[in-house]
Each structure stands twice: as C-alpha cells, then as structure tokens.
C-alpha cells in the first residue's frame, strides 16, 4: 500500500506541479541555452524552461514522505540514504543549470567545481552507507562487489580501513558513471525521462521481490533469499521516482515544454547508482540500464577514436545525435530508443528472476 501511495502521490504532484513550475521559469526568463556545435534543429529549443529536475526530486521526496505518513510507517536508513544521494547530486545539477541561465551560456559549473561537488556528496554517501546496522547486523551497503547478489569479491579483504577506501572509490565510480550516462541521454525530448521511468519501474519490481524473499523475515531462509537491508523502503523510493517521471513526461515529451536539465539527470543517475549498490545489483544495473550504457559508450568511443586517428566513428556523439544527422525524426529516435531500453529492462529482470529460480532449485 505504501509503495502504491508513493507512486500515485509523486505522479499527481509532478503532473500538476510541472506546469506551475513552467510558469515560474517563464516569468523569470529561465530558459535553456543550446550548444553552438550541436544539431542545428535544436536551435528552435532555445529558451525552453529548464531545471525541471526540481519537480522530479520534489515529487519523489514528498511522495515518499506522504506515503509513510499515511500508512504510519517509519522510514529506514536505506531509503533516506538513497534520497540523500538523489537530492545532493540534484543540488549540484541545479547550480550547474543556474549558472548556465544567469551567465547566458551553454556551460555551467566548471569541471573542477562539478567534480568537487560530486565527490563531496559521493564520499559522504559511501561512508554513511556502511553504517547503521539494524537488529540483524545488516548495513545498507556492502563492501562486496555485486552482480545479482554479493559476489566473492570483497573490497575489505585487506582490512576494513583499506576496504572502506576501496569501497568509496568503487561507489564514486558508479555514481559518476551513472550520473554522466543519464546526463548524456538527456539530449532529446522525453528520452531520459522515459528511459528512467522504465529502469526505475524494473527496480520497483526487483525491490518488492527482494522484500518478499528477504533472509531477515523468512522462517527458513535458504540460498535464494536476499540480504538487502531495507528492500521495501527502496521500493517506496523507486515507485515515487517512477510516478514523478511519469507526470513530468507529460510536459517533457516532444515538443518539450520543459527540460529536466542537469538538476534532473544528475539526480536520477545518482539514484540509479545508489540503488544498484543498496540492492546488491551493481553489475545487473548495467543490463537493466543498458541504453544508458550504450549512449555513454558511444561518447567514449567517439572521443577515443578521434584522439587516436583524427576521424569520427559517428556523425555526432552521443548516439542519438548521430541518428538525428542521418535524418531520423526526433520522435522516431526517442520511441525506438525507448523500445531498446525496454528490451534491456526485460532482459535484466528476466536474468534476475532466472537466478532466483536457479538458486531455489
């Protein structure tokens, strides 16, 4: 019930709150600036309100809080930590967007400032994620590298001191990678929003399943149960994110009346990274979020190949811009990429379930 309420509340708040936020941004003349080296078709989007991620983050947090209040449920450490990471990176993105608008340029925070901000949030989050053991002595995160569950690779093998350092580095790599991946995907109307909705929808199903098969609550836990500390709390957050993205997509679909900006893309990317760590599915996340991975890899390939040979693999990177320059319509690209994202999501969830069946056999 709490999961359903969180999703519904976030959806309504996002759906009704976004047009109000658009009016505020238009009144203050807070519009998007477009890169001069981007596709020329994007010049018509100049001036479109941005920083829509504020609505997604606010709707998610309020959905989580209201759902817990309505059902009389107390929040857990994992859900609060996930929201901390999402909000923290959203603040970094907000500063980036605000500088773009106030300075009237397409570049916001300088790279050094952005890295420092992300590092402060990421390091503090990683340290906190290994604290707060519950009555069953389980902490929100684990020093083990995980696939669908924790693997035998333990970053604390050489001692907890070094293990903490290695875990912080690993967690910050994931946070940086996922936040940049979602940020790069946010280049066409509705592309990142729709893909995020699919990915977090999959994680809502996964966390509900983990809650029902938790080693902490089963009378006779077997090898198929999950060691995740607070899976139901994570399900409430993910449901709220899905609802928030669903409502925002109504206004963000082509032609977009508002962009999520770095405020939204960094927050969603950070939430995905944190979720993969807290659910012990760090490698599986790369399959579920496969479209994000493809898009970020297209950028890496383009830059690396150009530096090595002086030639380009794609007409423009990230990948969706390549198809724009090939003459594909924006809506065609977005819908086809959503289909690809859905296929990755189905593959990831199918693999997750197949692993449980094999463990239970």
């Amino acid at each position: 019930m709490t999961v359903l309420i969180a999703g519904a509340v976030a959806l309504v708040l996002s759906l009704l709150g976004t047009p109000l936020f658009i009016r505020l941004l238009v009144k203050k003349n807070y519009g998007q600036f477009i890169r001069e080296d981007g596709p020329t078709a994007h010049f018509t989007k100049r001036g479109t309100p941005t920083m829509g991620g504020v609505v997604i983050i606010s709707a998610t947090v309020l959905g989580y809080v209201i759902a817990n209040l309505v059902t009389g449920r107390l929040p857990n450490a994992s859900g609060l930590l996930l929201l901390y990471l999402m909000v923290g990176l959203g603040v970094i993105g907000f500063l980036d967007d605000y500088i773009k608008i106030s300075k009237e340029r397409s570049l916001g925070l300088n790279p050094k400032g952005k890295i420092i901000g992300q590092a402060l949030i990421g390091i503090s989050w990683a340290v906190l994620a290994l604290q707060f053991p519950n009555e069953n002595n389980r902490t929100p995160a684990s020093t083990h590298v995980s696939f669908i569950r924790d693997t035998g690779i333990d970053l604390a093998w050489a001692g907890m001191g070094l293990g903490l350092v290695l875990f912080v580095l690993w967690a910050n790599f994931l946070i940086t990678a996922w936040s940049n991946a979602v940020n790069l995907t946010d280049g066409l109307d509705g592309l990142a929003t729709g893909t995020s909705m699919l990915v977090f929808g999959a994680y809502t199903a996964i966390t509900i399943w983990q809650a029902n098969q938790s080693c902490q609550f089963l009378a006779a836990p077997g090898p198929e149960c999950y060691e995740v500390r607070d899976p139901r709390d994570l399900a409430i957050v993910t449901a709220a994110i899905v609802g928030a993205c669903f409502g925002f997509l109504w206004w963000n679909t082509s032609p977009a009346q508002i962009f999520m900006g770095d405020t939204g893309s960094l927050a969603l990317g950070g939430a995905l990274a944190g979720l993969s760590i807290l659910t012990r599915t760090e490698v599986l996340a790369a399959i579920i979020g496969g479209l994000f991975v493809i898009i970020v890899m297209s950028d890496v390939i383009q830059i690396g190949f150009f530096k090595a040979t002086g030639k380009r693999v794609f007409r423009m990177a990230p990948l969706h811009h390549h198809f724009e320059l090939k003459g594909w319509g924006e809506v065609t690209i977005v819908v086809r990429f959503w289909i690809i994202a859905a296929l990755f999501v189905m593959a990831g969830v199918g693999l997750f379930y197949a692993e449980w069946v094999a463990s239970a056999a």
Side-chain angles (χ1 to χ4, degrees), residues 112-186:
K112 183 178 180 181
K114 207 168 186 178
I115 290 172
I116 291 174
Q118 288 179 319
L120 288 175
I121 298 297
I123 291 171
S124 61
W125 183 88
V127 172
L128 289 171
L130 291 178
Q131 314 304 316
F132 311 110
N134 64 3
E135 63 277 9
N136 298 308
N137 202 34
R138 288 175 174 83
T139 54
S142 163
T143 55
H144 289 260
V145 176
S146 61
F147 178 30
I148 295 176
R149 306 169 191 269
D150 282 341
T151 67
I153 303 174
D154 189 354
L155 300 175
W157 66 273
M160 193 55 202
L162 179 59
L164 177 62
V165 173
L166 293 176
F167 174 74
V168 168
L169 292 174
W170 172 238
N172 276 265
F173 166 75
L174 292 175
I175 292 168
T176 302
W178 281 116
S179 58
N180 287 333
V182 179
N183 185 251
L184 287 172
T185 306
D186 186 33

Side-chain angles (χ1 to χ4, degrees), residues 6-89:
V9 169
L11 188 155
V12 172
L13 290 175
S14 181
L15 186 63
L16 301 181
T18 302
L20 299 177
F21 192 59
I22 291 173
R23 291 176 199 168
L24 175 65
L25 294 174
V26 170
K27 185 177 180 180
K28 292 184 174 294
N29 199 29
Y30 285 175
Q32 177 72 37
F33 287 84
I34 305 299
R35 291 170 45 190
E36 295 295 332
D37 59 343
T40 55
H42 287 208
F43 293 157
T44 59
K45 300 182 181 183
R46 184 182 179 92
T48 302
T50 187
M51 295 193 294
V54 170
V55 177
I56 296 175
I57 296 169
S58 301
T60 298
V61 173
L62 288 172
Y64 175 81
V65 171
I66 292 173
N68 281 312
L69 288 174
V70 169
T71 57
R73 181 184 178 279
L74 293 176
N76 295 128
S78 297
L80 295 175
L81 279 169
L82 187 58
L83 289 175
Y84 166 69
L85 183 59
M86 184 180 186
V87 173
L89 289 181

Side-chain angles (χ1 to χ4, degrees), residues 8 37 101-102 105 118 135 159 164 221 282 287 291 296 343 347:
D37 59 343
I101 294 167
S102 60
R105 66 191 192 194
Q118 288 179 319
E135 63 277 9
L164 177 62
E282 294 158 359
I287 299 173
L291 181 67
V296 77
L343 291 173

Side-chain angles (χ1 to χ4, degrees), residues 232-256:
R232 200 171 302 282
D233 210 46
L234 295 175
I236 297 168
V237 178
T238 55
I241 294 175
V242 172
C245 288
F246 209 132
F248 184 75
L249 184 60
W250 182 272
W251 307 100
N252 182 234
T253 193
S254 183

Side-chain angles (χ1 to χ4, degrees), residues 178 203 276 281-294 344:
W178 281 116
Y203 265 107
S276 73
T281 56
E282 294 158 359
V283 178
L284 181 67
I287 299 173
I288 295 174
L291 181 67
F292 292 135
V293 175
I294 288 175
F344 274 113

Side-chain angles (χ1 to χ4, degrees), residues 87-105:
V87 173
L89 289 181
V91 170
I92 303 299
F94 178 85
L95 293 174
D96 192 46
D97 287 332
Y98 183 77
I99 290 173
K100 292 176 185 176
I101 294 167
S102 60
K103 301 294 184 181
E104 299 187 354
R105 66 191 192 194

Side-chain angles (χ1 to χ4, degrees), residues 197-336:
M197 193 169 64
L198 291 168
V199 170
F200 285 102
Y203 265 107
T204 302
I206 285 173
T207 47
I208 289 174
W209 185 266
Q210 289 179 330
N212 293 335
Q213 302 292 330
S214 174
C215 297
Q216 303 175 81
F217 309 121
L218 291 176
E224 74 278 6
C225 68
Y226 299 95
E227 297 288 352
V228 179
R229 185 192 192 277
D230 308 303
R232 200 171 302 282
D233 210 46
L234 295 175
I236 297 168
V237 178
T238 55
I241 294 175
V242 172
C245 288
F246 209 132
F248 184 75
L249 184 60
W250 182 272
W251 307 100
N252 182 234
T253 193
S254 183
Q257 298 181 48
I258 187 171
F259 301 137
M260 72 166 66
D262 284 4
T263 308
S265 60
L266 294 186
L268 290 172
L272 180 52
L275 195 57
S276 73
I277 294 170
L278 298 177
T279 58
R280 315 293 200 265
T281 56
E282 294 158 359
V283 178
L284 181 67
I287 299 173
I288 295 174
L291 181 67
F292 292 135
V293 175
I294 288 175
I295 288 178
V296 77
M297 287 306 300
S298 71
D299 207 52
V300 172
I301 291 169
Q302 182 85 325
I303 293 172
F305 195 79
F306 183 78
K307 287 184 176 180
T309 66
K311 298 179 181 179
R312 292 178 172 85
V313 177
F314 308 106
R315 295 187 181 187
M316 182 178 288
L319 189 60
H320 41 274
H321 293 322
H322 167 78
F323 290 105
E324 273 193 291
L325 295 184
K326 286 191 68 174
W328 289 23
E330 181 171 5
V331 174
T332 300
I333 298 170
V334 170
V335 172
R336 287 177 178 174

